[in-house]
Amino acid sequence: MAIVVFFVLMMPFLIERIAFQYTNSYLAQQQKKVMKIIERDGIDFYLEGGASYGSYTMLKEEYIALEETEKDYFIDTILTTERVVEQDTLNYRVLMSTFKSDNNNYLLEIGKTTDTI
């Protein structure tokens, strides 16, 4: 009986961990897709002559942001954080990664709301 109770109590934590691991994998796949497009079509495919790029899905469940950053700024992580989107504060699971293109350093963010996880 104790084992069953322990398992029932641990179930939400296990499901949450599995969901976050799946989301991390999904974000990494999205990063690969973006990087392939940049390698094939160049960074201007996203920037279109501007300094940054941002795109949200219609319901603000996912987003991609791309901006130029300092030459010595490097990050490669996945974290849970808040973002303000059109006056709404939403929690996102965010992949943040820097890369070089055309002798410039760029920050790529790909996020998915924790509510959808």
Side-chain angles (χ1 to χ4, degrees):
M1 185 69 159
I3 293 172
V4 171
V5 171
F6 176 75
F7 184 72
V8 169
L9 292 174
M10 292 301 295
M11 183 79 83
F13 300 108
L14 294 172
I15 291 173
E16 182 178 330
R17 183 176 173 101
I18 290 168
F20 273 85
Q21 289 299 326
Y22 172 79
T23 301
N24 292 349
S25 174
Y26 172 80
L27 294 173
Q29 290 173 358
Q30 292 299 98
Q31 177 189 25
K32 287 179 185 177
K33 287 180 184 178
V34 170
M35 295 309 295
K36 282 184 181 179
I37 291 170
I38 291 172
E39 287 175 12
R40 186 185 68 223
D41 300 330
I43 193 78
D44 283 332
F45 177 84
Y46 285 103
L47 296 181
E48 298 175 342
S52 64
Y53 168 83
S55 176
Y56 287 85
T57 58
M58 184 183 286
L59 299 176
K60 302 177 218 170
E61 293 174 345
E62 297 180 9
Y63 81 92
I64 295 176
L66 183 62
E67 66 181 328
E68 191 172 346
T69 188
E70 295 100 27
K71 296 263 185 210
D72 59 347
Y73 181 73
F74 296 100
I75 191 168
D76 187 18
T77 190
I78 298 177
L79 52 91
T80 302
T81 186
E82 291 182 344
R83 293 289 189 261
V84 178
V85 182
E86 297 175 356
Q87 301 161 347
D88 292 331
T89 302
L90 302 170
N91 288 318
Y92 284 91
R93 188 75 176 155
V94 179
L95 178 145
M96 299 173 70
S97 178
T98 53
F99 64 95
K100 290 197 179 289
S101 180
D102 299 333
N103 295 322
N104 294 317
N105 203 33
Y106 292 93
L107 172 64
L108 172 65
E109 286 190 9
I110 302 173
K112 183 175 180 108
T113 58
T114 57
D115 289 343
T116 61
I117 297 173

